[in-house]
Structure formats: structure tokens, C-alpha cells
mmCIF file of all heavy atoms in Angstrom:
data_model
loop_
_atom_site.group_PDB
_atom_site.id
_atom_site.type_symbol
_atom_site.label_atom_id
_atom_site.label_comp_id
_atom_site.label_asym_id
_atom_site.label_seq_id
_atom_site.Cartn_x
_atom_site.Cartn_y
_atom_site.Cartn_z
ATOM 1 N N TYR A 19 44.830 118.695 82.896
ATOM 2 C CA TYR A 19 43.868 118.642 83.998
ATOM 3 C C TYR A 19 44.512 117.852 85.126
ATOM 4 O O TYR A 19 44.837 116.677 84.962
ATOM 5 C CB TYR A 19 42.570 117.973 83.542
ATOM 6 C CG TYR A 19 41.839 118.792 82.509
ATOM 7 C CD1 TYR A 19 42.182 118.736 81.167
ATOM 8 C CD2 TYR A 19 40.818 119.650 82.890
ATOM 9 C CE1 TYR A 19 41.526 119.503 80.220
ATOM 10 C CE2 TYR A 19 40.147 120.416 81.955
ATOM 11 C CZ TYR A 19 40.514 120.337 80.624
ATOM 12 O OH TYR A 19 39.858 121.114 79.688
ATOM 13 N N LEU A 20 44.713 118.519 86.259
ATOM 14 C CA LEU A 20 45.417 117.923 87.393
ATOM 15 C C LEU A 20 44.494 117.866 88.597
ATOM 16 O O LEU A 20 43.818 118.849 88.905
ATOM 17 C CB LEU A 20 46.645 118.774 87.739
ATOM 18 C CG LEU A 20 47.556 119.156 86.572
ATOM 19 C CD1 LEU A 20 48.616 120.148 87.018
ATOM 20 C CD2 LEU A 20 48.186 117.925 85.957
ATOM 21 N N SER A 21 44.464 116.732 89.290
ATOM 22 C CA SER A 21 43.605 116.614 90.471
ATOM 23 C C SER A 21 44.347 117.143 91.689
ATOM 24 O O SER A 21 45.534 116.904 91.870
ATOM 25 C CB SER A 21 43.178 115.168 90.699
ATOM 26 O OG SER A 21 44.282 114.374 91.051
ATOM 27 N N CYS A 22 43.628 117.892 92.493
ATOM 28 C CA CYS A 22 44.157 118.441 93.747
ATOM 29 C C CYS A 22 43.096 118.197 94.810
ATOM 30 O O CYS A 22 42.240 119.047 95.062
ATOM 31 C CB CYS A 22 44.461 119.927 93.607
ATOM 32 S SG CYS A 22 45.739 120.281 92.417
ATOM 33 N N GLY A 23 43.116 116.995 95.391
ATOM 34 C CA GLY A 23 42.073 116.628 96.350
ATOM 35 C C GLY A 23 40.742 116.490 95.637
ATOM 36 O O GLY A 23 40.629 115.770 94.657
ATOM 37 N N ASP A 24 39.742 117.238 96.096
ATOM 38 C CA ASP A 24 38.421 117.204 95.471
ATOM 39 C C ASP A 24 38.287 118.203 94.328
ATOM 40 O O ASP A 24 37.256 118.272 93.676
ATOM 41 C CB ASP A 24 37.338 117.503 96.518
ATOM 42 C CG ASP A 24 37.226 116.400 97.554
ATOM 43 O OD1 ASP A 24 37.642 115.267 97.241
ATOM 44 O OD2 ASP A 24 36.731 116.668 98.664
ATOM 45 N N GLU A 25 39.314 118.990 94.112
ATOM 46 C CA GLU A 25 39.292 120.032 93.088
ATOM 47 C C GLU A 25 40.105 119.606 91.871
ATOM 48 O O GLU A 25 40.941 118.722 91.935
ATOM 49 C CB GLU A 25 39.883 121.334 93.652
ATOM 50 C CG GLU A 25 39.160 121.872 94.873
ATOM 51 C CD GLU A 25 37.787 122.411 94.561
ATOM 52 O OE1 GLU A 25 37.623 123.030 93.499
ATOM 53 O OE2 GLU A 25 36.881 122.194 95.376
ATOM 54 N N MET A 26 39.870 120.299 90.747
ATOM 55 C CA MET A 26 40.618 120.057 89.527
ATOM 56 C C MET A 26 41.351 121.345 89.164
ATOM 57 O O MET A 26 40.745 122.414 89.111
ATOM 58 C CB MET A 26 39.665 119.665 88.394
ATOM 59 C CG MET A 26 40.350 119.230 87.125
ATOM 60 S SD MET A 26 41.184 117.631 87.222
ATOM 61 C CE MET A 26 39.838 116.515 87.465
ATOM 62 N N LEU A 27 42.660 121.260 88.961
ATOM 63 C CA LEU A 27 43.455 122.391 88.509
ATOM 64 C C LEU A 27 43.594 122.262 87.001
ATOM 65 O O LEU A 27 44.063 121.243 86.505
ATOM 66 C CB LEU A 27 44.836 122.379 89.177
ATOM 67 C CG LEU A 27 45.825 123.455 88.725
ATOM 68 C CD1 LEU A 27 45.304 124.853 89.047
ATOM 69 C CD2 LEU A 27 47.173 123.225 89.386
ATOM 70 N N ILE A 28 43.162 123.305 86.280
ATOM 71 C CA ILE A 28 43.229 123.304 84.826
ATOM 72 C C ILE A 28 44.375 124.220 84.418
ATOM 73 O O ILE A 28 44.367 125.411 84.735
ATOM 74 C CB ILE A 28 41.901 123.770 84.211
ATOM 75 C CG1 ILE A 28 40.777 122.837 84.663
ATOM 76 C CG2 ILE A 28 42.004 123.827 82.693
ATOM 77 C CD1 ILE A 28 39.392 123.321 84.305
ATOM 78 N N VAL A 29 45.370 123.664 83.733
ATOM 79 C CA VAL A 29 46.551 124.414 83.321
ATOM 80 C C VAL A 29 46.515 124.575 81.801
ATOM 81 O O VAL A 29 46.639 123.594 81.062
ATOM 82 C CB VAL A 29 47.852 123.698 83.761
ATOM 83 C CG1 VAL A 29 49.067 124.504 83.342
ATOM 84 C CG2 VAL A 29 47.846 123.449 85.263
ATOM 85 N N ASP A 30 46.325 125.820 81.346
ATOM 86 C CA ASP A 30 46.251 126.119 79.914
ATOM 87 C C ASP A 30 47.623 126.451 79.342
ATOM 88 O O ASP A 30 48.545 126.805 80.068
ATOM 89 C CB ASP A 30 45.326 127.315 79.672
ATOM 90 C CG ASP A 30 43.866 126.977 79.921
ATOM 91 O OD1 ASP A 30 43.455 125.869 79.565
ATOM 92 O OD2 ASP A 30 43.156 127.837 80.465
ATOM 93 N N ARG A 31 47.719 126.360 78.029
ATOM 94 C CA ARG A 31 48.904 126.735 77.261
ATOM 95 C C ARG A 31 50.155 125.976 77.720
ATOM 96 O O ARG A 31 51.217 126.543 77.912
ATOM 97 C CB ARG A 31 49.100 128.244 77.292
ATOM 98 C CG ARG A 31 47.861 128.964 76.731
ATOM 99 C CD ARG A 31 48.050 130.428 76.573
ATOM 100 N NE ARG A 31 48.907 130.647 75.390
ATOM 101 C CZ ARG A 31 49.395 131.823 75.071
ATOM 102 N NH1 ARG A 31 49.141 132.871 75.799
ATOM 103 N NH2 ARG A 31 50.146 131.959 74.008
ATOM 104 N N VAL A 32 49.987 124.682 77.879
ATOM 105 C CA VAL A 32 51.100 123.807 78.281
ATOM 106 C C VAL A 32 52.081 123.686 77.123
ATOM 107 O O VAL A 32 51.679 123.427 75.983
ATOM 108 C CB VAL A 32 50.573 122.414 78.692
ATOM 109 C CG1 VAL A 32 51.711 121.439 78.913
ATOM 110 C CG2 VAL A 32 49.693 122.528 79.915
ATOM 111 N N THR A 33 53.364 123.890 77.417
ATOM 112 C CA THR A 33 54.397 123.755 76.387
ATOM 113 C C THR A 33 55.176 122.454 76.515
ATOM 114 O O THR A 33 55.638 121.919 75.511
ATOM 115 C CB THR A 33 55.393 124.932 76.434
ATOM 116 O OG1 THR A 33 55.936 125.019 77.754
ATOM 117 C CG2 THR A 33 54.707 126.233 76.059
ATOM 118 N N GLN A 34 55.330 121.959 77.752
ATOM 119 C CA GLN A 34 56.029 120.681 77.905
ATOM 120 C C GLN A 34 55.724 120.045 79.254
ATOM 121 O O GLN A 34 55.309 120.724 80.190
ATOM 122 C CB GLN A 34 57.531 120.825 77.706
ATOM 123 C CG GLN A 34 58.288 121.456 78.840
ATOM 124 C CD GLN A 34 59.779 121.505 78.546
ATOM 125 O OE1 GLN A 34 60.184 121.799 77.421
ATOM 126 N NE2 GLN A 34 60.596 121.222 79.530
ATOM 127 N N LEU A 35 55.939 118.738 79.295
ATOM 128 C CA LEU A 35 55.820 117.967 80.526
ATOM 129 C C LEU A 35 57.129 117.220 80.721
ATOM 130 O O LEU A 35 57.599 116.537 79.803
ATOM 131 C CB LEU A 35 54.675 116.967 80.446
ATOM 132 C CG LEU A 35 53.274 117.568 80.450
ATOM 133 C CD1 LEU A 35 52.777 117.756 79.034
ATOM 134 C CD2 LEU A 35 52.329 116.676 81.203
ATOM 135 N N ASP A 36 57.733 117.377 81.901
ATOM 136 C CA ASP A 36 58.947 116.656 82.269
ATOM 137 C C ASP A 36 58.558 115.604 83.294
ATOM 138 O O ASP A 36 57.977 115.936 84.329
ATOM 139 C CB ASP A 36 59.984 117.609 82.873
ATOM 140 C CG ASP A 36 60.437 118.666 81.887
ATOM 141 O OD1 ASP A 36 61.010 118.281 80.858
ATOM 142 O OD2 ASP A 36 60.209 119.859 82.139
ATOM 143 N N ILE A 37 58.869 114.350 83.009
ATOM 144 C CA ILE A 37 58.500 113.250 83.894
ATOM 145 C C ILE A 37 59.767 112.613 84.433
ATOM 146 O O ILE A 37 60.629 112.166 83.679
ATOM 147 C CB ILE A 37 57.645 112.206 83.157
ATOM 148 C CG1 ILE A 37 56.395 112.883 82.584
ATOM 149 C CG2 ILE A 37 57.276 111.068 84.093
ATOM 150 C CD1 ILE A 37 55.576 111.997 81.684
ATOM 151 N N ASP A 38 59.879 112.619 85.750
ATOM 152 C CA ASP A 38 61.030 112.028 86.424
ATOM 153 C C ASP A 38 60.498 111.070 87.483
ATOM 154 O O ASP A 38 60.064 111.495 88.554
ATOM 155 C CB ASP A 38 61.887 113.125 87.068
ATOM 156 C CG ASP A 38 63.173 112.586 87.671
ATOM 157 O OD1 ASP A 38 63.436 111.375 87.548
ATOM 158 O OD2 ASP A 38 63.905 113.379 88.273
ATOM 159 N N HIS A 39 60.488 109.802 87.148
ATOM 160 C CA HIS A 39 59.984 108.749 88.021
ATOM 161 C C HIS A 39 58.491 108.963 88.262
ATOM 162 O O HIS A 39 57.703 108.726 87.374
ATOM 163 C CB HIS A 39 60.812 108.681 89.302
ATOM 164 C CG HIS A 39 60.614 107.427 90.095
ATOM 165 N ND1 HIS A 39 60.762 106.180 89.552
ATOM 166 C CD2 HIS A 39 60.280 107.234 91.378
ATOM 167 C CE1 HIS A 39 60.521 105.266 90.465
ATOM 168 N NE2 HIS A 39 60.230 105.876 91.591
ATOM 169 N N GLU A 40 58.071 109.427 89.409
ATOM 170 C CA GLU A 40 56.652 109.630 89.724
ATOM 171 C C GLU A 40 56.270 111.102 89.814
ATOM 172 O O GLU A 40 55.178 111.434 90.271
ATOM 173 C CB GLU A 40 56.301 108.934 91.044
ATOM 174 C CG GLU A 40 56.441 107.422 90.998
ATOM 175 C CD GLU A 40 55.452 106.753 90.060
ATOM 176 O OE1 GLU A 40 54.266 107.152 90.046
ATOM 177 O OE2 GLU A 40 55.866 105.840 89.322
ATOM 178 N N ILE A 41 57.164 111.999 89.389
ATOM 179 C CA ILE A 41 56.918 113.436 89.458
ATOM 180 C C ILE A 41 56.778 113.994 88.044
ATOM 181 O O ILE A 41 57.558 113.652 87.151
ATOM 182 C CB ILE A 41 58.068 114.174 90.183
ATOM 183 C CG1 ILE A 41 58.254 113.631 91.591
ATOM 184 C CG2 ILE A 41 57.848 115.685 90.181
ATOM 185 C CD1 ILE A 41 57.093 113.861 92.523
ATOM 186 N N VAL A 42 55.796 114.879 87.845
ATOM 187 C CA VAL A 42 55.590 115.541 86.558
ATOM 188 C C VAL A 42 55.694 117.045 86.780
ATOM 189 O O VAL A 42 55.037 117.591 87.668
ATOM 190 C CB VAL A 42 54.202 115.198 85.962
ATOM 191 C CG1 VAL A 42 53.989 115.917 84.633
ATOM 192 C CG2 VAL A 42 54.043 113.697 85.791
ATOM 193 N N ILE A 43 56.521 117.692 85.975
ATOM 194 C CA ILE A 43 56.612 119.147 85.981
ATOM 195 C C ILE A 43 55.927 119.622 84.702
ATOM 196 O O ILE A 43 56.343 119.277 83.593
ATOM 197 C CB ILE A 43 58.074 119.646 86.005
ATOM 198 C CG1 ILE A 43 58.835 119.068 87.190
ATOM 199 C CG2 ILE A 43 58.108 121.180 85.991
ATOM 200 C CD1 ILE A 43 58.335 119.487 88.545
ATOM 201 N N VAL A 44 54.844 120.401 84.875
ATOM 202 C CA VAL A 44 54.084 120.937 83.747
ATOM 203 C C VAL A 44 54.527 122.382 83.553
ATOM 204 O O VAL A 44 54.417 123.192 84.472
ATOM 205 C CB VAL A 44 52.568 120.869 84.023
ATOM 206 C CG1 VAL A 44 51.785 121.435 82.848
ATOM 207 C CG2 VAL A 44 52.133 119.438 84.328
ATOM 208 N N SER A 45 55.031 122.708 82.357
ATOM 209 C CA SER A 45 55.478 124.065 82.043
ATOM 210 C C SER A 45 54.534 124.699 81.038
ATOM 211 O O SER A 45 54.026 124.015 80.142
ATOM 212 C CB SER A 45 56.895 124.044 81.453
ATOM 213 O OG SER A 45 57.796 123.458 82.361
ATOM 214 N N THR A 46 54.325 126.012 81.181
ATOM 215 C CA THR A 46 53.387 126.714 80.304
ATOM 216 C C THR A 46 54.093 127.773 79.465
ATOM 217 O O THR A 46 55.247 128.126 79.711
ATOM 218 C CB THR A 46 52.275 127.415 81.104
ATOM 219 O OG1 THR A 46 52.825 128.535 81.788
ATOM 220 C CG2 THR A 46 51.600 126.467 82.077
#
């Protein structure tokens, strides 16, 4: 569940999260 301003982006079937400092790449 990712916030985008006042909206929520729901990303299903996540396979991995890559975290580099303050950036997250969500892969499905």
C-alpha cells in the first residue's frame, strides 16, 4: 500500500522490494 498524495496505490502480487537509501522499487 503506497501513498500518492491523498490517494492510495495498491500493488498486488509483490515479489520483491529493493531499498536504496530513501527509494523503494516494488516489483510484481
Side-chain angles (χ1 to χ4, degrees):
Y19 294 83
L20 311 172
S21 67
C22 296
D24 293 338
E25 301 290 322
M26 187 71 65
L27 176 63
I28 301 171
V29 181
D30 289 321
R31 302 187 75 188
V32 172
T33 55
Q34 75 178 41
L35 290 94
D36 297 298
I37 303 172
D38 186 3
H39 195 54
E40 296 294 318
I41 302 295
V42 179
I43 304 296
V44 180
S45 301
T46 71

